[in-house]
Amino acid sequence: MWKTFLLPSRRGEDRRGWLRGAPPPRWVKVLPLALIVAVCGATLAAPDPVDVGFLLGAIPPLAVLSYSPVATALLGGTVVALLTVPAFHLDRPGDTDLLTVVFVAVLSVFVSFVRSRRDTQLDLERTVAEAAQRAVVPPLPERVGAVGCAGLYRAAQRGTLVGGDFFDVRDGPFGVRAVMGDVQGHGLSAVATVASLLGAFREAVLDRPDLASVAGRLDRRLLVDSADARHAELFATAALLEFSADALQVRIVVCGNPPPVLLRGARATEVDVTPWTPLGLGLADAGTITTRTLALRPGDRLFLASDGVVEARDADGAFYPLCERLAALAQEGDPADGAGLAERLWADLVRFSPDVEDDVTMLVLTPRTEGLRMRGPLRR
């Protein structure tokens, strides 16, 4: 069972809007047919001929917005046929109008063909981009070692899953380690950096003995990538966690990322950590990075959020009160259901700030100690 939610749109809808490439709403598709019915009905119901035939000339261009070339051609042919039916009296003032409508109908079929090809290409590119994002940031398992996991991701770029936030939870010889980060930029330009950082993290989980050296590895990875690209200044914020074998302790390193929030009972408290510089600036000397060790109790949860959550503002410019809202939302539902908590907070966030412009990422980590054997104390 997977506990990661990739949300391409706000409130489950395509945030692009139909004028920005999203599928048109239903009323746009119904409009040409409704216009045909309205014009024919008006001419049949009126006691005297009504000169409204010119309105039919708008039907082929309207069909371009939502119909295929074949359907657009059929609607154009229907319009031409209606203009020649004597019972509707739509053929006035003469042949010139009919020829104009025929030309517009043929041109509309061509435009519909071009639009259909473009839409197909855009859908293909979006599908590839989303597949790349899922490959780079795969769904989290429900549980990694002694830690329950749930993640939620929503990209800022309209109409896509691709963004610059990332997270991962891995088990290794030094315990369960988790990372959440936010790289510079959005969209496809950030995917390569995300892939590079996650690859470095997954390697460091296996061979770096302490959490500070993991942060140093990520910092070095960004420095190398930045050196290979002209005029590139890559950096990323990140929070890294390492759980002890019994999940009763966690070590935390924060590099420019918002600190984790500890949910304990009915309280939500931001963990007091000493922040370090963002990754990629060449300052992450493992010997000087401060690591915070936090004791955990059964039932505790750790909530990590990206800048898109803590920096969201309402219409008055007020920041989203994360700890306050998280404490209230944590009382709803099953305390062990981290995915439900993330979904509730996302719904509350978009009510607070409907136009969230940054990538939004949430990670809920729940220590679970039942049935686990002790593997040794937390490494210092």
Side-chain angles (χ1 to χ4, degrees):
M1 183 176 181
W2 303 107
K3 289 295 184 178
T4 304
F5 297 86
L6 298 177
L7 304 180
S9 60
R10 184 175 70 247
R11 300 178 184 177
E13 301 174 356
D14 196 328
R15 300 177 66 236
R16 290 175 292 174
W18 70 279
L19 295 178
R20 298 191 179 190
R26 185 175 301 174
W27 65 266
V28 174
K29 198 165 188 176
V30 173
L31 190 57
L33 302 176
L35 188 56
I36 290 176
V37 172
V39 170
C40 293
T43 57
L44 291 176
D48 299 318
V50 181
D51 188 13
V52 293
F54 69 93
L55 293 175
L56 294 178
I59 290 175
L62 288 175
V64 170
L65 297 175
S66 55
Y67 285 91
S68 67
V70 174
T72 301
L74 290 175
L75 285 171
T78 301
V79 168
V80 173
L82 290 174
L83 290 172
T84 60
V85 174
F88 291 115
H89 303 286
L90 296 173
D91 56 347
R92 297 186 304 155
D95 293 338
T96 302
D97 287 347
L98 180 60
L99 292 174
T100 301
V101 171
V102 171
F103 174 77
V104 171
V106 173
L107 184 61
S108 297
V109 172
F110 173 73
V111 174
S112 178
F113 173 76
V114 173
R115 192 219 77 224
S116 299
R117 292 291 298 271
R118 184 208 63 180
D119 288 350
T120 300
Q121 182 64 28
L122 289 177
D123 288 342
L124 176 60
E125 291 176 358
R126 182 169 181 249
T127 300
V128 171
E130 292 175 358
Q133 183 73 26
R134 292 181 186 275
V136 171
V137 188
L140 291 176
E142 183 178 1
R143 182 166 177 161
V144 177
V147 182
C149 309
L152 181 146
Y153 182 88
R154 200 276 302 163
Q157 186 167 317
R158 293 181 180 271
T160 181
L161 296 181
V162 180
D165 285 6
F166 62 93
F167 53 74
D168 199 7
V169 182
R170 297 275 165 162
D171 197 1
F174 306 104
V176 175
R177 288 171 171 172
V179 63
M180 169 181 281
D182 179 6
V183 307
Q184 174 191 16
H186 302 290
L188 289 173
S189 62
V191 172
T193 306
V194 169
S196 181
L197 278 176
L198 283 176
F201 170 75
R202 290 161 186 168
E203 289 181 359
V205 165
L206 300 177
D207 58 29
R208 305 308 296 179
D210 59 87
L211 199 59
S213 63
V214 175
R217 173 71 66 85
L218 300 184
D219 180 75
R220 188 180 66 181
R221 179 72 267 169
L222 280 182
L223 283 175
V224 172
D225 291 347
S226 181
D228 292 339
R230 292 187 61 187
H231 309 299
E233 294 181 359
L234 298 179
F235 66 89
T237 61
L240 298 103
L241 292 84
E242 179 184 275
F243 290 86
S244 62
D246 58 6
L248 295 180
Q249 283 185 317
V250 62
R251 303 185 74 192
I252 303 170
V253 168
V254 172
C255 301
N257 203 74
V261 175
L262 174 65
L263 283 165
R264 176 169 289 170
R267 298 183 59 189
T269 308
E270 191 174 271
V271 178
D272 183 18
V273 296
T274 301
W276 196 247
T277 58
L279 303 173
L281 301 181
L283 302 176
D285 182 353
T288 60
I289 294 177
T290 302
T291 303
R292 168 70 192 277
T293 301
L294 179 68
L296 299 175
R297 303 174 186 173
D300 285 352
R301 286 174 285 178
L302 288 168
F303 182 92
L304 290 89
S306 65
D307 291 340
V309 177
V310 298
E311 294 180 359
R313 298 172 181 254
D314 63 9
D316 298 325
F319 288 106
Y320 182 69
L322 176 60
C323 289
E324 175 185 333
R325 299 302 303 143
L326 190 59
L329 295 170
Q331 304 307 307
E332 306 173 10
D334 183 358
D337 183 14
L341 175 60
E343 288 184 286
R344 292 194 300 274
L345 192 125
W346 165 245
D348 186 66
L349 180 67
V350 295
R351 285 192 296 267
F352 180 87
S353 179
D355 296 317
V356 179
E357 295 298 333
D358 199 2
D359 296 336
V360 168
T361 308
M362 306 176 197
L363 185 61
V364 184
L365 302 175
T366 307
R368 297 176 179 177
T369 60
E370 65 277 9
L372 292 176
R373 293 184 302 171
M374 296 288 289
R375 294 194 300 180
L378 185 74
R379 291 169 174 77
R380 295 185 177 275

